[in-house]
Amino acid sequence: MSSAEVAAVDLGASSGRVMVGRVGPETLELVETLRFPNIPVNVLGRIHWDILGLDRGVLDGLREAGGPPSGLCGLGIDSG
């Protein structure tokens, strides 16, 4: 089995982050590539996640992670 790189995105109440995992027969390594704020926005008197800001943070983090087309073979996103 050869090694592989996968990315994980975690979107939380106050911040988001992008992590890269390198996995192989004798290897397990996790590296945080970017952490970014999740600042709520007020739209018509209601509080919402800033979806455009989160999108920008995720894409910036994936670029830092060496995202497509450079070799990531998987991506998972959690917005729990």
Side-chain angles (χ1 to χ4, degrees):
M1 174 179 161
S2 64
S3 63
E5 289 191 358
V6 295
V9 178
D10 177 32
L11 301 175
S14 63
S15 68
R17 66 182 171 164
V18 178
M19 304 282 294
V20 171
R22 293 179 181 90
V23 183
E26 300 289 327
T27 304
L28 175 58
E29 178 184 2
L30 293 173
V31 177
E32 183 179 282
T33 62
L34 184 68
R35 184 176 290 265
F36 50 92
N38 182 4
I39 301 169
V41 294
N42 187 320
V43 178
L44 300 174
R46 297 186 70 181
I47 301 297
H48 298 273
W49 279 14
D50 178 6
I51 192 67
L52 297 177
L54 293 173
D55 182 61
R56 184 173 42 255
V58 168
L59 293 177
D60 288 347
L62 290 174
R63 277 190 282 280
E64 289 290 321
S70 72
L72 290 176
C73 65
L75 169 66
I77 300 176
D78 175 39
S79 63

